Structure formats: structure tokens, C-alpha cells
Amino acid sequence: MFLMMHPWYIPSSQLAGKLLHIYPCEGDCIPGVGCRYPFPLPRYWISAFPAEFDLNPELAEQIKELKEVLGREGNRRHSNLIDIENVPTYKWKRQVTQRNPVAPKKRKMSLLFDHLESSELAEHLTYLEYRSFCKILFQDYHSFVMHGCTVDNPILERFITLFNSVSQWVQLMVLSKPTAQQRAQVITRFILVAQRLLQLQNFNTLMAVVGGLSHSSISRLKETHSHVSSETTKLWESMTELVTSLGNYSRYRRRLAECVGFRFPILGVHLKDLVAVHVALPDWLDRARTRVNGTKMQQLFGILNELVLVQSIKPPFEANMDLINLLTVSLDQYQTEEEIYQLSLQREPRGKSAPSSPTSCSPPSRPADIDEWALAVKPKPDQTLVRTHIEKMVESVFRNFDVDGDGHISQEEFKIIRNNFPYLCKFGDLDENQ
């Protein structure tokens, strides 16, 4: 707890400097016992938080200096215990986008949303978000709580953007269909995706999907919802209730506490918890700032430690990188709320009532605060990043759809492919010259 929480009170490099400062002089050693210096502390610090020493050059230099002091004074045994030379690199954790080598194709795999099993789509959405989540370090949480926003915190901002993109993509995939029955089929598909996400104990992506289907641009489509079966609607309502903010997310917290093995918590809920504890309790128990508030430290540690432990448990499935490349580009959406709502009005204008039928169901009402924690993050598109994603997507499409290997995709094939990218529908006929 001390090693994880000390940055709340003092920068890591300063802590290492204090360790060097309190290194005992010869008179501090007890005959027959030895020096009372806590050498297990830096050794355990290096083993438990190696990324901190790789990503913090100032801290690394302080530890190296301590090692050199021990060596000069003949304390070889303790000097050898403090070794950061073999710490692996963690610079990939700070890269906003990770360029993965394309895995060799083992089987023909459809990249199409309409042909993809709901469980497979849920698994690949989980893989995408979990990969982004694993890049978040303690320092990112600390920065968020201290600043109250994601300023100068690109890793956390990218994760929140991905959460918003999933929610927005769900809306656009529904609204890309011209008829109410087709839109209802997409809604049903995403409800099955949500069901699989719940089975995977992936509450974060589940909340993103629920937020997309609960958005006003979708919930207002009465004619569309009239084609969704009552059984599917009941399933949907049960999952919606699970992630609502009622009772401070009490249903979700109980379900998370029962989880064993891989689970993916709703990051926004736990960020709110961190902010609440930080605001409610002081860091120090006295004005002189000499007595740390142990209660606050323990509560913050409990929240943060759970998030850190989650990163150590990998998802129980393998991902297909071609599908990951396609989803990555599909999720890079930058439509505004107003643009999406206008598309909803085009599909079902105001005043258009749903036809009455024995099987028609009213759309579920949008739960309070379903995804408001993430709405403030609206970054501008990074053209270099978008270009990289598109290049990887194109490679995957050609590898899977250019069957005869002539380097061309036919119009018929492209019309199917474009269904995965709702924003392509705004264009007219493409590639008129074949």
C-alpha cells in the first residue's frame, strides 16, 4: 500500500532521494546485527512496480546512485539486491496506439457485422477495450483525480474515447439501416452482444453498449422497437438495470463482488469513487502535514489495487487481428450528438407513431447517468492515427476478400464491406470504373 500510494504525497524520485539521504553512517550500525537500513524496500519496489523505473528516468537515476553508494562503501551484498538493469521496457504502455504485427491467417473469417456471431463480436470488443485499459498506470489515475479531468493524460483520454466510440458505433449501426425491421434486427443483435459481455464479466463494454442503445437517438424509434420481441426487451431491461446509477450502482457493485477470474469493471464508476474519497477526506491529519491520513490511504488503495489486479488477468479467448483492425477503424467515429440525432429524425420523423400489434413493445427508457462520466472527452481526430488504422484495415480486407488475388475488390464485395462503416453511407456510388 505504501509503495502504490506514496505518489499521493511525494514524487517517486523524491522518495528515492530520501532513501539515499537516510542511508546509515558507520555509527548507525549495531554490532552483531548490522545496519538498520530497510534494503528490502527498494528491492521490493523494483520487483512490484518495474514500469515505474523504466518510465521515470529521474527515479532510475536515484536508485542507481544508491546502488553506487552501497558499492563504494563495500556493501556489495545490499548493492547487488538493488538492480534495475534487467527491468524490461514498458514504453509500449505509454503509446496511444499499439501497432501489432498481423497474425498469419489460419482460416477464412468473415469480417462482416451481419455474418459475425454475437459472442465473437463481444469478445473482440472486449479485447480492444482491455488492451487499451492495460496501458493505464497508477500515475494516470492520480493525475485524473488531482486535476478532475484528462488534461495531459492521453492514455486515459484514449480509453474514454474508445468507450464513447463503442456507444456511438452502436447508434450508427442501428441508424444505418433504412427500414424499421432491419434496425430492430441490429438492436436485437447488440442485445445478444450485451448478454455475452455480461457472461464475460465485461461490465465496462456492457455499459457502453447499453448506453448506445439507451441513447435518445435510438430510444425514440418507436416503430423500430415495435419489431423487437418482448423476450428480447425483457433481457435488455435486466441488463440496463444492472448498470444504472441507482443506489450508487448498487446492483453492479454486488455483481462485481461475486466475480471470479477475468472481469472488466466499469472504469467510470471507480474513477468517481476515487474523486469522492479524495474530496471527502484530507491527505493529512494535522496542519503541519506530518501525520498521513491512513484511512484515506487505505480507501484509495482498495479502489486502485482492484483496478491494477484486473490488468493481470487476461481475457479467456484469442483475438483475430484482421477483425480487430476492422473494428478499430469502425470505432473511430467523430460524429457529433446533433449529427446522430438528425440521422435518427430522418429514419423516423417526429410524430410518426408505431403501428399497434400484439407483439409491439415500448422502448426502454434511458436510465439516469448511464454514460455521462465519459461525455466530456471529445478529442479531435488525429489524422496520422486514423491513417494508420485505415492502412491496417485495408490490408485485412484485401487478405480476406480478394479471393483471386488480383489486387482488386469488386463493387459487390465493397458494398458488403461498407456496411461495417456507417459513415461511408453518406457517400454516393464509389469506384464507378470498377
Side-chain angles (χ1 to χ4, degrees):
M1 181 176 70
F2 168 74
L3 290 175
M4 180 181 287
M5 296 305 303
H6 76 269
W8 218 267
Y9 304 89
I10 180 174
S12 296
S13 57
Q14 289 187 24
L15 175 61
K18 288 185 178 293
L19 292 177
L20 179 62
H21 178 71
I22 64 174
Y23 175 69
C25 299
E26 185 176 351
D28 292 329
C29 296
I30 302 174
V33 177
C35 297
R36 292 169 290 179
Y37 184 80
F39 287 104
L41 177 61
R43 180 177 61 175
Y44 182 75
W45 191 4
I46 294 169
S47 65
F49 301 94
E52 196 168 357
F53 294 85
D54 178 57
L55 300 173
N56 188 338
E58 189 176 356
L59 171 62
E61 286 302 317
Q62 290 281 12
I63 293 297
K64 287 179 182 178
E65 185 177 351
L66 175 59
K67 181 179 177 67
E68 291 172 1
V69 170
L70 291 170
R72 285 197 304 267
E73 299 190 4
N75 203 332
R76 294 288 180 185
R77 185 171 67 88
H78 286 156
S79 176
N80 292 335
L81 293 177
I82 305 176
D83 182 19
I84 63 172
E85 298 300 327
N86 296 321
V87 171
T89 179
Y90 290 87
K91 290 182 173 57
W92 62 271
K93 274 182 171 282
R94 312 317 288 160
Q95 297 172 355
V96 176
T97 179
Q98 181 183 0
R99 193 174 184 84
N100 287 298
V102 178
K105 183 176 62 175
K106 296 181 181 179
R107 62 184 176 89
K108 199 71 178 178
M109 179 176 181
S110 173
L111 299 178
L112 306 179
F113 173 82
D114 292 336
H115 297 169
L116 202 62
E117 292 291 335
S118 300
S119 59
E120 200 163 19
L121 179 56
E123 290 169 2
H124 283 75
L125 287 172
T126 297
Y127 177 85
L128 264 180
E129 290 221 69
Y130 182 76
R131 185 176 66 177
S132 179
F133 177 73
C134 283
K135 295 184 179 184
I136 304 174
L137 298 178
F138 168 86
Q139 293 88 335
D140 299 312
Y141 299 122
H142 179 256
S143 173
F144 177 85
V145 173
M146 299 306 292
H147 293 96
C149 61
T150 57
V151 173
D152 298 326
N153 199 339
I155 302 300
L156 187 56
E157 182 176 274
R158 178 60 182 169
F159 178 82
I160 296 175
T161 300
L162 181 58
F163 176 95
N164 289 337
S165 296
V166 171
S167 180
Q168 199 174 70
W169 181 64
V170 170
Q171 299 169 52
L172 289 168
M173 288 299 289
V174 173
L175 296 174
S176 66
K177 301 300 181 182
T179 68
Q181 190 165 7
Q182 290 174 327
R183 292 192 293 273
Q185 290 173 352
V186 176
I187 290 175
T188 301
R189 169 67 64 84
F190 273 119
I191 292 174
L192 295 178
V193 169
Q195 184 181 36
R196 175 56 179 159
L197 290 170
L198 183 56
Q199 293 170 354
L200 290 171
Q201 301 180 146
N202 178 357
F203 302 100
N204 195 76
T205 313
L206 171 64
M207 189 174 189
V209 173
V210 168
L213 292 178
S214 301
H215 195 273
S216 57
S217 64
I218 304 301
S219 62
R220 63 171 297 275
L221 302 176
K222 293 182 171 55
E223 182 180 0
T224 297
H225 283 282
S226 69
H227 294 280
V228 179
S229 69
S230 57
E231 293 79 8
T232 302
T233 301
K234 289 179 181 178
L235 174 62
W236 159 247
E237 289 174 344
S238 67
M239 290 185 290
T240 302
E241 291 175 357
L242 178 63
V243 296
T244 58
S245 60
L246 297 177
N248 193 19
Y249 300 94
S250 58
R251 294 185 180 91
Y252 154 70
R253 294 180 191 277
R254 285 197 297 269
R255 187 67 174 263
L256 180 65
E258 298 170 355
C259 291
V260 177
F262 175 79
R263 68 269 192 195
F264 194 167
I266 303 173
L267 181 60
V269 172
H270 302 280
L271 287 178
K272 284 184 174 181
D273 290 345
L274 288 172
V275 172
V277 173
H278 175 64
V279 172
L281 301 175
D283 290 338
W284 306 90
L285 295 177
D286 59 343
R287 291 184 178 181
R289 298 167 67 91
T290 60
R291 296 172 57 209
V292 170
N293 188 340
T295 300
K296 178 175 182 176
M297 181 184 283
Q298 287 180 336
Q299 291 187 21
L300 291 172
F301 173 75
I303 300 169
L304 290 167
N305 195 46
E306 174 65 24
L307 296 175
V308 171
L309 289 176
V310 166
Q311 295 182 349
S312 65
I313 308 175
K314 295 182 178 180
F317 52 80
E318 297 292 330
N320 178 283
M321 293 313 300
D322 283 336
L323 183 54
I324 290 297
N325 292 337
L326 183 71
L327 281 173
T328 299
V329 178
S330 296
L331 294 173
D332 270 332
Q333 308 283 353
Y334 296 97
Q335 279 79 1
T336 64
E337 295 278 325
E338 179 62 24
E339 288 173 337
I340 296 177
Y341 195 77
Q342 288 301 319
L343 179 57
S344 174
L345 291 176
Q346 292 176 21
R347 294 306 186 201
E348 291 189 24
R350 288 192 180 96
K352 188 175 182 180
S353 58
S356 58
S357 65
T359 60
S360 65
C361 300
S362 300
S365 59
R366 177 181 170 86
D369 297 332
I370 195 69
D371 58 354
E372 290 182 0
W373 71 274
L375 293 180
V377 179
K378 299 268 185 196
K380 295 180 180 179
D382 182 337
Q383 294 303 323
T384 303
L385 180 61
V386 171
R387 188 179 303 110
T388 300
H389 288 168
I390 290 177
E391 289 173 356
K392 292 162 67 175
M393 178 274 292
V394 170
E395 292 172 0
S396 298
V397 167
F398 270 85
R399 189 163 41 252
N400 284 270
F401 288 95
D402 185 16
V403 180
D404 55 8
D406 64 350
H408 295 278
I409 298 293
S410 69
Q411 280 196 16
E412 289 73 19
E413 290 169 331
F414 186 75
K415 287 178 181 177
I416 299 174
I417 296 169
R418 73 188 294 187
N419 289 335
N420 291 277
F421 305 92
Y423 53 86
L424 286 180
C425 296
K426 68 177 67 173
F427 296 101
D429 291 335
L430 301 178
D431 197 23
E432 295 180 355
N433 63 354
Q434 305 298 310

